[in-house]
mmCIF file of all heavy atoms in Angstrom:
data_model
loop_
_atom_site.group_PDB
_atom_site.id
_atom_site.type_symbol
_atom_site.label_atom_id
_atom_site.label_comp_id
_atom_site.label_asym_id
_atom_site.label_seq_id
_atom_site.Cartn_x
_atom_site.Cartn_y
_atom_site.Cartn_z
ATOM 1 N N ARG I 157 -69.144 -52.663 -66.675
ATOM 2 C CA ARG I 157 -68.898 -53.399 -67.973
ATOM 3 C C ARG I 157 -68.614 -54.809 -67.697
ATOM 4 O O ARG I 157 -69.040 -55.763 -68.368
ATOM 5 C CB ARG I 157 -67.811 -52.638 -68.782
ATOM 6 C CG ARG I 157 -67.668 -53.153 -70.138
ATOM 7 C CD ARG I 157 -66.705 -52.361 -71.002
ATOM 8 N NE ARG I 157 -66.529 -52.922 -72.310
ATOM 9 C CZ ARG I 157 -65.794 -52.401 -73.327
ATOM 10 N NH1 ARG I 157 -65.195 -51.273 -73.097
ATOM 11 N NH2 ARG I 157 -65.771 -52.933 -74.469
ATOM 12 N N ALA I 161 -70.655 -58.335 -68.636
ATOM 13 C CA ALA I 161 -70.051 -59.432 -69.425
ATOM 14 C C ALA I 161 -70.114 -60.808 -68.725
ATOM 15 O O ALA I 161 -70.213 -61.847 -69.402
ATOM 16 C CB ALA I 161 -68.505 -59.072 -69.752
ATOM 17 N N ASP I 224 -57.497 -69.308 -53.147
ATOM 18 C CA ASP I 224 -57.302 -68.912 -54.568
ATOM 19 C C ASP I 224 -58.730 -68.693 -55.120
ATOM 20 O O ASP I 224 -59.697 -69.506 -54.845
ATOM 21 C CB ASP I 224 -56.735 -70.189 -55.237
ATOM 22 C CG ASP I 224 -56.440 -69.979 -56.738
ATOM 23 O OD1 ASP I 224 -57.125 -69.266 -57.384
ATOM 24 O OD2 ASP I 224 -55.479 -70.598 -57.184
ATOM 25 N N MET I 261 -47.832 -62.364 -59.906
ATOM 26 C CA MET I 261 -46.378 -62.062 -59.600
ATOM 27 C C MET I 261 -46.377 -61.140 -58.351
ATOM 28 O O MET I 261 -47.189 -60.148 -58.348
ATOM 29 C CB MET I 261 -45.614 -61.542 -60.725
ATOM 30 C CG MET I 261 -45.761 -62.347 -62.156
ATOM 31 S SD MET I 261 -45.255 -64.115 -61.869
ATOM 32 C CE MET I 261 -43.487 -63.871 -62.015
ATOM 33 N N TYR I 278 -65.254 -63.203 -63.405
ATOM 34 C CA TYR I 278 -65.120 -64.215 -64.521
ATOM 35 C C TYR I 278 -64.927 -65.594 -63.795
ATOM 36 O O TYR I 278 -65.692 -66.529 -64.111
ATOM 37 C CB TYR I 278 -63.936 -63.872 -65.272
ATOM 38 C CG TYR I 278 -63.264 -64.929 -66.162
ATOM 39 C CD1 TYR I 278 -63.888 -65.390 -67.342
ATOM 40 C CD2 TYR I 278 -62.142 -65.623 -65.609
ATOM 41 C CE1 TYR I 278 -63.346 -66.445 -67.996
ATOM 42 C CE2 TYR I 278 -61.542 -66.674 -66.364
ATOM 43 C CZ TYR I 278 -62.174 -67.126 -67.587
ATOM 44 O OH TYR I 278 -61.572 -68.100 -68.291
ATOM 45 N N GLU I 279 -64.024 -65.702 -62.836
ATOM 46 C CA GLU I 279 -63.860 -67.002 -62.103
ATOM 47 C C GLU I 279 -65.053 -67.418 -61.408
ATOM 48 O O GLU I 279 -65.497 -68.587 -61.424
ATOM 49 C CB GLU I 279 -62.698 -66.889 -61.139
ATOM 50 C CG GLU I 279 -61.303 -66.974 -61.780
ATOM 51 C CD GLU I 279 -60.993 -68.432 -62.112
ATOM 52 O OE1 GLU I 279 -61.766 -69.337 -62.143
ATOM 53 O OE2 GLU I 279 -59.755 -68.649 -62.535
ATOM 54 N N ARG I 282 -67.796 -68.596 -63.761
ATOM 55 C CA ARG I 282 -67.538 -69.941 -64.285
ATOM 56 C C ARG I 282 -67.847 -70.909 -63.213
ATOM 57 O O ARG I 282 -68.383 -71.939 -63.498
ATOM 58 C CB ARG I 282 -66.068 -70.012 -64.591
ATOM 59 C CG ARG I 282 -65.618 -69.119 -65.808
ATOM 60 C CD ARG I 282 -64.455 -69.643 -66.509
ATOM 61 N NE ARG I 282 -64.763 -70.755 -67.418
ATOM 62 C CZ ARG I 282 -64.218 -71.043 -68.591
ATOM 63 N NH1 ARG I 282 -63.169 -70.325 -68.954
ATOM 64 N NH2 ARG I 282 -64.630 -72.022 -69.296
ATOM 65 N N ALA P 179 -48.202 -58.403 -64.007
ATOM 66 C CA ALA P 179 -48.958 -59.097 -62.958
ATOM 67 C C ALA P 179 -48.938 -60.576 -63.220
ATOM 68 O O ALA P 179 -48.829 -61.317 -62.302
ATOM 69 C CB ALA P 179 -50.336 -58.571 -62.791
ATOM 70 N N ASP P 242 -62.256 -72.479 -75.800
ATOM 71 C CA ASP P 242 -62.328 -71.770 -74.511
ATOM 72 C C ASP P 242 -60.878 -71.428 -74.034
ATOM 73 O O ASP P 242 -59.999 -72.303 -74.057
ATOM 74 C CB ASP P 242 -62.940 -72.723 -73.484
ATOM 75 C CG ASP P 242 -63.181 -72.103 -72.139
ATOM 76 O OD1 ASP P 242 -62.513 -71.167 -71.749
ATOM 77 O OD2 ASP P 242 -64.215 -72.532 -71.541
ATOM 78 N N MET P 279 -71.365 -63.332 -71.453
ATOM 79 C CA MET P 279 -72.682 -63.149 -71.831
ATOM 80 C C MET P 279 -72.723 -62.463 -73.218
ATOM 81 O O MET P 279 -71.906 -61.663 -73.506
ATOM 82 C CB MET P 279 -73.405 -62.302 -70.895
ATOM 83 C CG MET P 279 -73.325 -62.645 -69.398
ATOM 84 S SD MET P 279 -74.063 -64.254 -69.035
ATOM 85 C CE MET P 279 -75.847 -63.830 -69.096
ATOM 86 N N SER P 284 -68.467 -56.302 -75.802
ATOM 87 C CA SER P 284 -67.915 -57.166 -74.932
ATOM 88 C C SER P 284 -66.928 -56.483 -74.015
ATOM 89 O O SER P 284 -66.967 -55.289 -73.740
ATOM 90 C CB SER P 284 -67.231 -58.284 -75.713
ATOM 91 O OG SER P 284 -66.320 -57.750 -76.631
ATOM 92 N N TYR P 296 -54.032 -64.137 -67.785
ATOM 93 C CA TYR P 296 -54.198 -64.836 -66.400
ATOM 94 C C TYR P 296 -54.395 -66.328 -66.630
ATOM 95 O O TYR P 296 -53.797 -67.178 -65.884
ATOM 96 C CB TYR P 296 -55.309 -64.198 -65.696
ATOM 97 C CG TYR P 296 -56.043 -65.026 -64.558
ATOM 98 C CD1 TYR P 296 -55.485 -65.010 -63.294
ATOM 99 C CD2 TYR P 296 -57.214 -65.662 -64.796
ATOM 100 C CE1 TYR P 296 -56.081 -65.822 -62.296
ATOM 101 C CE2 TYR P 296 -57.816 -66.407 -63.789
ATOM 102 C CZ TYR P 296 -57.222 -66.493 -62.536
ATOM 103 O OH TYR P 296 -57.874 -67.178 -61.570
ATOM 104 N N GLU P 297 -55.371 -66.660 -67.481
ATOM 105 C CA GLU P 297 -55.583 -68.045 -67.773
ATOM 106 C C GLU P 297 -54.387 -68.738 -68.360
ATOM 107 O O GLU P 297 -54.116 -69.966 -67.968
ATOM 108 C CB GLU P 297 -56.771 -68.184 -68.880
ATOM 109 C CG GLU P 297 -58.153 -68.070 -68.141
ATOM 110 C CD GLU P 297 -58.580 -69.254 -67.454
ATOM 111 O OE1 GLU P 297 -57.845 -70.176 -67.133
ATOM 112 O OE2 GLU P 297 -59.779 -69.303 -66.981
ATOM 113 N N ARG P 300 -51.751 -69.361 -65.721
ATOM 114 C CA ARG P 300 -52.123 -70.452 -64.857
ATOM 115 C C ARG P 300 -51.843 -71.771 -65.556
ATOM 116 O O ARG P 300 -51.354 -72.711 -64.930
ATOM 117 C CB ARG P 300 -53.663 -70.381 -64.435
ATOM 118 C CG ARG P 300 -53.953 -69.169 -63.657
ATOM 119 C CD ARG P 300 -55.229 -69.300 -62.760
ATOM 120 N NE ARG P 300 -54.857 -70.128 -61.671
ATOM 121 C CZ ARG P 300 -55.423 -70.078 -60.430
ATOM 122 N NH1 ARG P 300 -56.421 -69.213 -60.316
ATOM 123 N NH2 ARG P 300 -55.022 -70.892 -59.439
#
Side-chain angles (χ1 to χ4, degrees):
Chain I
R157 185 174 182 178
D224 184 331
M261 307 301 281
Y278 160 80
E279 280 285 10
R282 295 204 78 148
Chain P
D242 184 331
M279 307 300 282
S284 57
Y296 160 80
E297 279 285 10
R300 294 205 79 147

